[in-house]
Amino acid sequence: MIKKPKGTYDIYGQDAIMYNYIEEVIKNEMNINNVNYIRTPLFESRDLFHRSVGLSADIVTKESYDFTDRANRNLTLRPEATASIVRSLIENKLYSNNSNVIKYYYLGTMYRYERPGAGRNREFTQFGVEAFNSASVITDANIISMGYNILNNLGIECTVYLNTLGDEETRINYTNALKEYFKEHLDELCPDCKNRYDKNILRILDCKVDSGSELFENMPKLKDYLTIDATNKFNELKSLLNLLEIDYVYDDTIVRGLDYYTDIVYEFKSGDSLALGGGGRYDKLVENLEGPSVPATGFALGLERVMLALKDKELLSKEIDAFILSISKEEKYNALKIMNILKLNGYSVEMCDTDVSLKSQFKMADKLNSKYLIFLNDEDLNKGLVTIKDNVLKTEEKIDESEITDYFYDNL
Ligand code: HAM
C-alpha cells in the first residue's frame, strides 16, 4: 500500500466540516474588512526566501524543500507567503497610484521540513493578511484585530503575546551589546547560535537549546535598549489594543523566527498551545527585494493548529434542509427532479440514489440532521402530491408538488 508522505495528512469527515467552517469564518471576516484575496505560486525562486526570510532562519537553512527543475532553476516550495506577496506586489506594481492602505489575504499550503508532531506538519495551511503603504500603528492594531476576531468568532479564547524589536537605532545598539556580551562565551553556545552570532545575532533570543542557561539569563535585555520613539510607538499600540478590548500580554521573549521583522512582533496563543499564528512589521522588506520604500505589516494563522484548538469544542455538525425518501425507480426520478428544483433555489437537499430500505434512508437523513423529510410514493405522485414532515416539530402535511419551493420559502 502506498502511504502519504511523512508530515502530511488527509482531511475528511468531521475534520473536513470543521476546516470548511474555519475557511468560511475567515472569508467572512475578510469580506467585512474589505481585504482582497491574492494567490501566488506554491513554489518560487530559492533566492526570494534567502533574501527575505533570511539565511539565519531555520525554515530556510534546515527546513526548506529545495529542488531544481528540468532547466536547472533553483526553486523552493514556499515555507511561508509573506515573501511571495511582497514579490508579487513589486512585480505587478500593486503599490502604484495608491496612497491608502493596500490589504491582501491568502489561504494556502506551505511546506517546511519539520519534525512532525501535533500542530507541526511538513505540509500545512496558512491564512494570512498583509497590509502595505502604512507605517501607522492604527494599521497594526486593525490587522491584529482581524486575527483576534477570527479566533474569537470560532470560539477560541486567545491572547496576543506582544513584543517590539524597536527601531533601527534600537537594533543596532542591542546587536552591538549582544555581540560584546557573547564574544567571550562563543564556546558555550550551541552550533546554531554560533552561526547566528555572525549572521543575525538577534535570532539567538529564539534558541530553544540555550534558553534557560545562566549565560542566557544574564544577557542584555532588548527592553533596556529601546529608543524613546520605539517605546512611544509600542505604548501607542498597547493603548489601541486596550481600546479594541483585545487581550494581550507583553512578552519580551517573542522575537519570531524570520529575519524580515523590524518593529512590532506578536503571536496569537490559546492556553499553553503552540502559537496559532504570528506576525509583525516588516518595513524594509519591499525595499530589500528591490521595490520602493513601502512600510508593511501582517500576520498568518496556521489552520491545523486552529483546528487542534477547536478539537475540544463541541463538534460542528452538518445540517441539510431536506432529505427526499424514495423507493421505486419512478419515485427516484421524481426525487431527482424535486431535489434539483430545490437546489436551484438555494436549499441543500439529499436523496438516496441506490436501492436501500426506507429504514436505512431514515438513518441517512438523521445522520445529515435533515430539517425536513419529503416522502414520495407512486400513488401521491400521480395526483401531483408530496408529503413533507417537519423533522423537528414532527408535524406532517401533504402539499401540491408545484408548491414545494414556496413551502420552504415560507418555513425556513
Ligand atoms: P510563522 O510564525 O512562521 O510566520 O507561521 C505562522 C503560523 O503558521 C504559526 O503560528 C503556525 O500556526 C503555523 N505553522 C508554522 N509552521 C507550521 C508547521 N510546520 N505545521 C503547522 N503549522 C505551522 C509566518 O509564516 C509569517 N509569514 C507570518 C507573517 C505574515 N508575518 C508578517 N506577515
Side-chain angles (χ1 to χ4, degrees), residues 7 9 53 59 63 79-83 106 110-131 143 256-258 260-261 266-268 274-282 285 296-306:
Y9 64 96
V53 176
I59 66 172
E63 298 165 3
E80 61 107 57
T82 309
Y106 51 88
M110 311 289 152
Y111 299 85
R112 296 184 190 179
Y113 193 83
E114 288 208 64
R115 184 193 290 265
R120 238 181 253 290
N121 311 92
R122 290 187 174 166
E123 181 184 70
F124 59 97
T125 318
Q126 274 189 356
F127 148 71
V129 182
E130 311 295 349
I143 295 294
R256 314 272 303 126
L258 316 156
Y260 48 64
Y261 292 110
Y266 52 90
E267 284 180 355
F268 295 100
L274 292 170
L276 302 177
R281 262 209 173 264
Y282 49 99
L285 185 57
T297 186
F299 73 87
L301 297 180
L303 296 206
E304 290 72 14
R305 294 195 190 169
V306 171

Side-chain angles (χ1 to χ4, degrees), residues 97-113:
N97 304 327
N98 207 327
S99 54
N100 205 352
V101 187
I102 304 165
K103 288 172 277 182
Y104 286 105
Y105 85 90
Y106 51 88
L107 242 169
T109 39
M110 311 289 152
Y111 299 85
R112 296 184 190 179
Y113 193 83

Side-chain angles (χ1 to χ4, degrees), residues 129-181:
V129 182
E130 311 295 349
F132 301 95
N133 254 0
S134 164
S136 167
V137 183
I138 294 177
T139 307
D140 294 291
N142 193 19
I143 295 294
I144 291 173
S145 79
M146 293 180 199
Y148 189 79
N149 288 348
I150 286 169
L151 293 171
N152 263 289
N153 289 341
L154 286 167
I156 299 171
E157 272 177 39
C158 88
T159 302
V160 182
Y161 286 68
L162 201 63
N163 193 18
T164 175
L165 305 176
D167 50 20
E168 212 163 348
E169 191 184 330
T170 307
R171 281 190 303 281
I172 291 171
N173 291 340
Y174 186 53
T175 300
N176 290 339
L178 284 179
K179 286 224 157 181
E180 191 57 36
Y181 175 79

